[in-house]
Each structure stands twice: as structure tokens, then as C-alpha cells.
Amino acid sequence: MTSVQTLCWVGDSPGGYVEMVEQTLLPLDYELLAVRTVPQMVDAIYRLAVRGAPAIGVAAAYGLMLGVQDAGGESANEVLRRTEDCATTLAAARPTAVNLFWALDRMKARAARDAAAGANGAGIVSGLFEEAHAIYHSDQDTCRRMGDIGADLIADGNTLLTHCNAGALATAGMGTALAPIYRAHEQGKRVAVYADETRPLLQGARITSWELMQAGIDVTLIADTAMARVMSEGRIDAVFVGSDRNARDADVCNKVGTYAVALAAQAHYVPFYVVAPLSTVDPSLDSGELIPIEERPAEEVTCGFGKRTAPEGVRVYNPAFDVTPARLVRGIVTEVGLIEHPTMAKMEAALRAGGVEFQSRPRTTTP
Ligand code: MRU
């Protein structure tokens, strides 16, 4: 089992701060970073010191706490104003992982509810502190539940392929895509993993292979470009990946390169599973085509990790995510169960089962 703690709140409130693994230094250095202000949290999220959709959500909730924890002596209205300002600042850190906005909306709703119930400034701040911890703890429970459900899809002796890092280091718990692997391993099943290196920022090479080795799981690192070859050799029984945002029609959006993995998996009759909590569903989007895709700096492609590997001045396009259409997805593992051959109707049923409020509308985009 993994024992990595990606991030946590240290101390009380006021006076507390967030401690997180500085993921940009892995695997060469394992360092803890203290984050004490909202701008520092925005920077940590943008630089990928903390990354992975659920972890970004937890970081945003605690980030908001950093901005309001000293406001307990202020009026309720002032605390609400600070909450709104901090949420706006944090929401600008990265655009794709919907967990960021989900966590901030949950924090703002808590503050509004407590204010409407007559809480003063101190009461609203302590409610926000409680809510941020609740987001942290529910992520841990959710990961474990998805791990249990997903482990049933893994047979003794299976070899799986994953892309990017959707492990403990992408969440507050045991991960999304890697959680079923950890649970299967705990259950005594023999399980091996091929990890795509995940160009350009190498989350697979730097983080997934490190995390799986720490947990004693058999892992083989491959270049992204070797993935289809590895499948054609019959080495892969199933693909497990995470997601940064699922649309209501069950299109999924994950680290760039995931779509290519899904296409290769379909061509080789390898089941492609997505493991993602309901907090990763954006019920307002009826198609993956509408998901905002982050574009990152050209230097990540031309000078990755400080060494120039492309000519000065070359034009670069660097989308950080891609969308895999629902038709390529064999199943989505959520905390309320496995959605097999997912469709909009099945996604909506899962949202209802999870108590998520949303408006069901006919699809407005072309399937
Ligand atoms: O850019 P990153 O490292 O934040 O991208 C992360 C991913 O794409 C993960 O696969 C995704 O967030 C699922 S996390 C459990």
C-alpha cells in the first residue's frame, strides 16, 4: 500500500499552513513545501508542485483557508467578500481539472449557508475550516471506495497500463487509477503495471514509476511512443487512467496522450477503464468537446527540464489534456459503482445515486 501523503493542513486556524510534496523535484529529491498564502498556492498549482485533479481540489479548499483564516474578527460580510476574492484568484490557477472549481464552489456555498443561518465572521471562518477538512477526508474515502470497486476488474496475474499519474500523489488518498491496483495488490493478486512516461512533463516517469516502486508494485516504464507496440505484443490486459473532467455524456478528459492510448486499446481489444470520482464530473457540460483544454508554455516541449531539445524560435502547440470520447471507454469507476459502457443516461443515474444536483437537458452538441 502507498504511504505517500501528498498534502495536508498543518496547525490550527488561524496560524496554519499547507504542507505538500514538491512534486516537480521527484524522483531525485523528496522535499516538503510549506504554502502559507493564496498567491503561493496559485503558484504551487500552476507549477505542478501539487497536481492531479482531486489533489488540486483539496489544495484549492485549503488555499482558500489560507486567505480567510485571519479574518475571524471581521464582519460576516467581510469574510464573504474575502472568500469570494480568494476563490476567484485560486480558480485562475489551472483551467481543466473541474475538481478545482467544484471545491471552491463547495467552500463558497458553505460560507453562504452559514452566513444565511446567522453566523458571524468567526463562525463562517470555522465553517470553512471544517469544510476544507471534509473535502480532504472525503477524497480519501472516495479513493478507497473506487479502489475496492476497481479491484474487482483486476484478475490475479494481470498486467495493466496507465498514463500520467493518477496515484496517491494526485489525490489526498490512495489515488484514482492506481487505487484499484493498490487494493488488488493488498488482496494478494499479482499485478504488474506499464507506466507511460507522459511527455512533456514526465509525470509517468517521474511520479508514477516512483510511487509504484515505493509501494512494491511491479512497474515497467515505457516511452509514450512504445505504448501501441506494447499492446500489439499482447502484454496489456486492461488500461486504467484517471480524469480531470468528465462531461455528462461520459466523454473524459485526461493528460494529453490518453486519447491515443484509448484508440490503441480499442484496436487491440484491451478494455479501457477510467477511475474518477463524481467530483470530476462537470454536469453543466453535455459533451467533452466543451471542456476547456489548458495550453502550457512552449518551453515545456522545447527545453524540458532545462535542456533545449528543439531549435530556438520553433512554433509549438502544447495542449496539456485531450478528450477521449465515451465510445472508447469500457467503464468509469466512481465511488458509487462501475458505469459500464457509459452513456449520458448512465452518468446521470450515477450523479443521482451520489446525490449530485444537476439539470438534465438534451444534448446540444453533435455526438
Ligand atoms: O497536469 P497534471 O499532472 O495535473 O495532470 C494530471 C492528470 O492528467 C491525471 O491523470 C488526472 O488528474 C487524474 S488524477 C487522479
Side-chain angles (χ1 to χ4, degrees), residues 96-118:
T96 301
V98 77
N99 305 60
L100 172 71
F101 312 102
W102 169 85
L104 293 171
D105 285 349
R106 202 169 137 171
M107 294 290 279
K108 286 193 289 184
R110 173 64 186 259
R113 230 175 23 248
D114 287 351

Side-chain angles (χ1 to χ4, degrees), residues 127-199:
L128 284 168
F129 198 39
E130 204 176 273
E131 196 69 24
H133 285 319
I135 289 171
Y136 174 88
H137 289 297
S138 75
D139 187 45
Q140 294 184 322
D141 295 345
T142 299
C143 288
R144 192 162 191 89
R145 240 172 307 156
M146 293 190 297
D148 285 336
I149 295 165
D152 288 345
L153 302 168
I154 301 174
D156 184 33
N158 272 180
T159 300
L160 311 167
L161 182 135
T162 193
H163 189 76
C164 195
N165 174 267
L169 281 157
T171 68
M174 66 197 311
T176 59
L178 298 192
I181 296 169
Y182 288 131
R183 291 296 290 136
H185 182 71
E186 282 171 2
Q187 292 162 2
K189 293 176 188 166
R190 285 163 301 142
V191 50
V193 178
Y194 278 83
D196 285 351
E197 66 176 349
T198 316
R199 281 278 295 157

Side-chain angles (χ1 to χ4, degrees), residues 42-67:
V42 171
D43 180 61
I45 294 172
Y46 179 71
R47 287 191 303 106
L48 275 54
V50 61
R51 27 84 32 219
I56 291 174
V58 173
Y62 280 148
L64 195 145
M65 265 319 292
L66 294 172

